Structures are given as structure tokens and as C-alpha cells.
Amino acid sequence: MRVFRRKAVWTMVFRRWESFSWRLIGFAAAVIAAGAGALAVENPVGEVPQPKNVILMVADGCGIEAYTLTRWMKGKELAVDSLEVALVKTHSTDSVITDSAPAASAYATGVRTSNGFLSVGPQAKVLSVLTPPPEDLQYRPLATVLEGAKLLGKATGIAVTCRVTHATPAAFMAHLPRRDDEQDLMIQVVHQNVDVVLGGGRELLLPTSAGGKRTDGRDLTKVLKARGYQTPQTRQELAKISGGKVFGLFAPGHLAPEIDRPQLGPDEPTLEEMTRKAIELLKADPDGFFLMIEGSQIDWACHANDPAYLVHEMLMFDRAVGAAAEFARQDGQTLLIVVSDHATGGLSIGNTGPLSKGNLTVETVVEPLRRMKCSATLLWKTLGKDPTPERIQTVLQEEWGIKTTPEEAGEVLAEVKRASKNPQNVFTFLSTRYTALGWTTHNHTGGDVALFTLGPGRPKGVLASPQVGQCIAQALGIDLDKLNQRLFVEPGKALPDVKVELLPEGAKTPQIVRLQAGQKRVELPLQENVLNNGDRSVELEGLCLYASQTKRVYVPLQVLRLLTDSQEPLPKITKE
Ligand SMILES: [Zn+2]
């Protein structure tokens, strides 16, 4: 009983914080708080069955202007054009301009957090318009809709074109306030038991001694093997798979940009192929599924102000959306949400250059982009070391269809000499001069983004980013409050008699938490879902985590049940 009393207090503190965007005030209350109709569920409860599946598609870094540009490029309607539309406010708790980590965390957990944080509660420092989070919430792991879907017996999947440990996918599968710690994130990802994981990042599975990038000596492919995963490495191998669990990483790092794929990654699947395969595999589950798909590199194209890279990423994302929408329409029980996490680059159709003067023709917009055959990154590589101005002129003519003057080649050369970190950015001034597109920054921007929906349970209006996560939870039938209480319990608070030790003793980054209650002692490797009890090992329903900032340990409630030999069933995570 003590367990539950403690949790009730925590929940109350939780609820008071940032009420206008806070998920734990409950869905119905959120509708009222957000204004009548602002977050209404399309179909009255009872008349239409709850959606069985949710597909979330994230166009990372995609502003509305990028959709418009892609429509002109495609020459016809985009797949999102036939969907309903809403807007999302994107800021994080500590910045008007969010990064991908808290943006994805809001969609994954229904909670807004700090820049750089992946599905853990925010730090104390927040924007002046927000109330600082309660102490209990800071750095606390926040349960994700993917974790909730798993507990409901639904199949789960992730398909992205970046490393699967990059911010957006990691926010659904892992919990860490440091998005760059991808080695740690991969430990959590392989221990999440997600049914279908497709993307890049193979080098994070293997130690350096085996050709990978892991510096902790661990070989995570062994975990995948022990858990029965198929591990295709090419699009051909993926195509052959017709069932079972899949952990398909098709490149050591990120997948190739779509525009460069024929040259750099011909054996990698496209986002559309991954989307179709993921749906095919997941829909076999009679309980339904949750699938998150990301067009990861739309963001990077915009960071580089690289228009050709951008439109090719967007056209492929459009095909993936088309595939998902086709399934959702046929299925009728699937909520499809297509959304960005923020915009990047400050893209505009129209700029201060010569091409934008007077009436702008379609051809003026699309022809320069059609002539570009590779990304700026590949262009940079093609230039080779120490390029001459003549070499620059030749390569730009061949690869981007731009006839530059000797002066412009000199400008590129000067940029080349200055650029060390982001060589792809040296062409930005040419992209502005030779296209009708404008860019204001190499970073993210702070505006609202579009959210497109199809199917039952779709949200409307101008949403706070956490409301997107709340809506997904609602659609899946998950009570996020109950889910948090079941997945992340502080053992010392829930059971005051339990002895909590971190091992190795005194280590800066502990590896194991040891719990002792009476004569019973168990060991829990951190960031994994494993309980070791002598020679017995149990796979848990969630991860065991340690927040180094607050020195708190979080384990699934299931651990305490096992520790105390309690037969009490685990509480339901569905709304009553
Ligand atoms: Zn992003």
C-alpha cells in the first residue's frame, strides 16, 4: 500500500506543473484547458472504435515552405495534401528554438523537456514564461508511447534514415539527458525489445576491436542474437523477411542521403521501402501496433541550406507518407500523424537574388534544383583535396548545372579554406544566387510546424507539442500516468526497507544496481531490462535506469514484485 500512497503524492506534484501543456492533467481536462475544440477527438467516444494502430511520421526539420517547394517539384499534390491539418508549437522548456531531442520527447512522452534531453524530465532552468518543474520530475525517466504500446501487447516499430540512436528515434526507445551519448543509447535500444528497428548505426553495436565504435568493449549483436532478432544489412535481405523480429541496420552510421543513394548506398533500403516493410510486419499483430517513421535528413539538408538534398529527402518522405496513408485508409483503424519537430534553415521560396525578381515562374523554382545531381556534401568530396578554381567551375557545372564565373569559383575556394567543420556549407551563397530559394540560418528556427492527420482519434487546432504525445497515448488507450507509475519506480521510496547499492562501488558511472530486501538480493544492469537473481536471469518489461544528476535509481514496478515475491498483479495502464 505504501507504494501507491507514495505515487499518489508524486502524481499530484506532477500534475500541478506547467498545467497548460502538462499531460497528466488528463486528456479531458486538457481539452478544456486548451479551449473548446482545440484538442477535440474527432469521433465521439462510443460511436467509433478506438484506433488499433498509430503511425507517427516525423519530417525532421521540415517547415511548411519545404512542403510547398516539394509540391512544385513533384508537379502534383503531395500525400499530406489530402490529410487534415493542425499546427504544433515547438519550443522546449529552456529554449524558444527546440532541438530534436525534447521535440521528439514531447511526441513520445506527452511531456515537454529541455534541449538535449531524451525522454527524461526537464532541468530546473526554464523559459521565463514557464514554471520550473518540481524537483521529483527533474531528470526522471518519462515513459514513452512505444513502451506503453508494448505493455498493451501491441507490436512496435521504428524506421529512420539516421542512426537509430539519433535524437528522434532514441526519444521513443531510450531515456537520457544527453542525446550525444549514443553508445549508451544503443544499450537501451537493444534492450527495449522493439519488434522492428530499421535504420543506420551498425558501428554502435560492436566494440572497436571488432571494427565498431564502442569503447566499452561490448558486443551488442550478441544481445540481438539471444533475443531472436533477424539482422538484415541490405535492402535485398530486408525484402526477404516476412515475419519475426527485425533489427536492420543498413549502414555503419547514417544512411546515405536519398539524392546520393545510387552512388553511396545502392544496397540501402529507401524510407518508402522501410515504411512498407515495417507496416507489413507489424500489422500481423492482432493487438495492433505503434510505428514511428522519420525522414531524418530533411533537417540536415536544411542545416546545409542544400536545396537539392532537401527536395529529394522530401519527395521520398512523401512516398513514405503515401504508403502509410494507403494502409491507414484501407485499414480504417489506424491513426496516422505526420508532423515535424521544428523547422530548420529558415527556408523561403523567394530570395534577394536575381531569380526572384518580378513574377516567379514554376520553372525558375524547379529547374535549378532538377539540374543538381548530388548533395553539397558529395559535391565537396568530388572537388577533392586542394581544388583549383578551374576544378571548382568544372565540378559545379557537371554536378549542379551551375556555370560559375572565375570570381565565384574564387569565392568558393576562399570558403573552402575557411571551412573545416561544415564543408557542405561553402556552397550556400551559390544556392541563394542560382536558385529562387532563401535561407536565414544553418540552425533550427522557432516557428510552429504543420501536423497532418488521417483516421480515428485525430487532434485538431493549435497544439502544444506535448499534446501530440498525449493524443497518441489516448489513441492507443494508454494512461500515461499509470504507465509512468508502472515503469519507473524509485525502489528506496517505494519500499523503505530495501537496500539500494550502486556497483562498482564509488564509480562515477555505475553499471549495476543491487537491491536487497530481507534475504533476497537481485542485481540489475543499468540501461538494460534484465534482472539477475543468482544464476537466474529474468527479462523485465522495462529498463532499469540511473539519473546521475539526482543520484536516483528507477526500476519497473515488476522488479519490486519479484524482489518481495509478491503475487499482486501489476496495475493496468489503460484508462478505466
Ligand atoms: Zn529535429
Side-chain angles (χ1 to χ4, degrees):
M1 281 315 287
R2 205 181 286 124
V3 178
F4 292 105
R5 211 174 307 130
R6 172 65 217 170
K7 271 187 235 129
V9 172
W10 168 74
T11 302
M12 275 165 56
V13 179
F14 228 56
R15 280 179 182 172
R16 279 198 298 271
W17 188 66
E18 208 200 338
S19 61
F20 71 90
S21 67
W22 194 241
R23 48 156 280 304
L24 289 160
I25 52 181
F27 193 73
V31 173
I32 296 159
L39 186 64
V41 175
E42 171 73 3
N43 301 297
V45 178
E47 279 185 28
V48 172
Q50 180 130 28
K52 187 175 155 191
N53 316 307
V54 174
I55 302 174
L56 172 68
M57 304 187 74
V58 179
D60 200 304
C62 178
I64 291 174
E65 208 99 344
Y67 283 109
T68 315
L69 176 64
T70 309
R71 191 182 300 115
W72 286 118
M73 266 311 269
K74 190 180 177 188
K76 52 185 173 191
E77 297 282 278
L78 300 174
V80 292
D81 289 358
S82 58
L83 309 188
E84 286 193 20
V85 68
L87 286 177
V88 181
K89 298 180 274 186
T90 56
H91 68 86
S92 65
T93 53
D94 59 349
S95 177
V96 168
I97 299 177
T98 189
D99 80 84
S100 300
S105 300
Y107 299 162
T109 70
V111 179
R112 202 195 302 282
T113 188
S114 312
N115 272 15
F117 284 31
L118 289 167
S119 295
V120 298
Q123 59 175 336
K125 193 166 178 282
V126 293
L127 291 171
S128 59
V129 295
L130 302 180
T131 315
E135 202 268 336
D136 260 15
L137 177 61
Q138 293 169 31
Y139 300 97
R140 180 191 162 81
L142 301 165
T144 72
V145 288
L146 181 143
E147 290 170 323
K150 270 195 324 180
L151 292 205
L152 292 178
K154 290 180 185 287
T156 53
I158 296 280
V160 298
T161 53
C162 56
R163 289 188 294 262
V164 296
T165 46
H166 210 250
T168 305
F172 289 82
M173 301 185 280
H175 308 268
L176 207 65
R178 302 174 302 276
R179 61 173 283 182
D180 293 333
D181 283 1
E182 292 191 54
Q183 291 193 41
D184 279 358
L185 293 169
M186 190 58 103
I187 297 173
Q188 297 188 35
V189 168
V190 301
H191 287 93
Q192 267 295 6
N193 284 345
V194 179
D195 296 285
V196 176
V197 177
L198 305 175
R202 218 156 53 211
E203 64 197 8
L204 289 162
L205 292 175
L206 290 170
T208 48
S209 59
K213 285 242 167 116
R214 298 201 67 83
T215 53
D216 58 4
R218 293 180 71 165
D219 178 355
L220 297 176
T221 62
K222 287 181 183 161
V223 180
L224 296 175
K225 207 171 166 201
R227 295 184 179 209
Y229 276 104
Q230 303 160 88
T231 52
Q233 297 199 353
T234 64
R235 67 197 301 198
Q236 295 82 0
E237 287 170 8
L238 177 66
K240 283 187 202 140
I241 290 174
S242 58
K245 286 163 73 179
V246 185
F247 207 100
L249 304 189
F250 306 100
H254 304 303
L255 301 192
E258 181 54 34
I259 190 172
D260 301 334
R261 201 170 48 79
Q263 276 170 276
L264 302 181
D267 290 332
E268 295 172 6
T270 66
L271 187 64
E272 183 194 6
E273 287 167 352
M274 292 193 287
T275 300
R276 288 189 184 277
K277 181 56 76 175
I279 291 172
E280 176 198 325
L281 295 170
L282 297 175
K283 76 177 183 190
D285 192 313
D287 299 309
F289 66 85
F290 169 74
L291 170 62
M292 195 287 290
I293 293 156
E294 184 194 31
S296 318
Q297 302 193 23
I298 296 163
D299 179 55
W300 305 342
C302 291
H303 274 290
N305 297 174
D306 184 339
Y309 183 5
L310 170 63
V311 291
H312 283 261
E313 289 303 311
M314 286 296 294
L315 288 167
M316 180 49 74
F317 185 74
D318 179 66
R319 289 170 61 163
V321 173
E326 180 189 305
F327 168 77
R329 284 201 180 93
Q330 283 168 4
D331 177 67
Q333 303 178 81
T334 300
L335 169 62
L336 171 65
I337 297 179
V338 184
V339 67
S340 306
D341 52 349
H342 53 78
T344 303
L347 171 68
S348 64
I349 298 173
N351 64 22
T352 55
L355 292 186
S356 299
K357 291 217 172 83
N359 290 355
L360 188 58
T361 66
V362 174
E363 291 71 28
T364 308
V365 175
V366 303
E367 289 304 333
L369 307 185
R370 293 235 163 90
R371 286 196 288 269
M372 296 176 162
K373 288 184 261 175
C374 69
S375 70
T377 310
L378 186 53
L379 190 67
W380 162 268
K381 280 190 195 141
T382 309
L383 282 183
K385 268 202 171 144
D386 301 321
T388 60
E390 293 73 33
R391 170 81 182 146
I392 291 171
Q393 281 184 291
T394 309
V395 170
L396 280 166
Q397 172 82 60
E398 281 173 6
E399 301 296 329
W400 271 19
I402 293 179
K403 206 168 158 38
T404 47
T405 62
E407 292 74 36
E408 286 172 327
E411 279 181 74
V412 171
L413 199 56
E415 290 286 330
V416 166
K417 288 192 173 135
R418 266 201 298 273
S420 54
K421 263 183 86 180
N422 295 301
Q424 70 278 13
N425 293 356
V426 304
F427 309 103
T428 291
F429 77 92
L430 288 176
S431 137
T432 308
R433 204 170 290 170
Y434 286 94
T435 71
L437 305 177
W439 302 91
T440 58
T441 174
H442 283 291
N443 294 318
H444 298 175
T445 56
D448 298 350
V449 293
L451 174 139
F452 304 93
T453 54
L454 173 72
R458 54 195 186 270
K460 291 177 174 178
V462 181
L463 309 168
S465 55
Q467 288 178 305
V468 177
Q470 294 156 23
C471 174
I472 296 169
Q474 168 84 1
L476 291 168
I478 298 165
D479 183 322
L480 284 169
D481 200 355
K482 292 181 187 168
L483 179 63
N484 273 292
Q485 289 168 18
R486 179 156 147 184
L487 279 185
F488 301 113
V489 179
E490 288 180 66
K493 282 189 182 169
L495 289 176
D497 298 335
V498 77
K499 191 175 161 202
V500 183
E501 284 175 284
L502 289 163
L503 304 174
E505 228 174 288
K508 219 170 133 196
T509 43
Q511 303 294 316
I512 292 170
V513 57
R514 182 190 283 158
L515 302 182
Q516 183 154 1
Q519 291 305 305
K520 191 149 181 184
R521 193 162 82 173
V522 298
E523 290 193 348
L524 308 151
L526 288 163
Q527 309 201 85
E528 298 183 15
N529 70 329
V530 175
L531 177 146
N532 295 317
N533 176 15
D535 50 6
R536 210 172 123 241
S537 200
V538 179
E539 248 184 57
L540 300 167
E541 65 178 19
L543 301 171
C544 297
L545 298 163
Y546 173 66
S548 58
Q549 298 77 8
T550 57
K551 304 210 177 341
R552 291 192 165 127
V553 169
Y554 300 93
V555 301
L557 182 59
Q558 183 191 11
V559 169
L560 303 186
R561 293 280 199 273
L562 291 166
L563 186 64
T564 55
D565 291 318
S566 164
Q567 300 303 312
E568 195 182 343
L570 290 161
K572 283 203 167 78
I573 60 153
T574 48
K575 292 221 184 282
E576 290 314 321

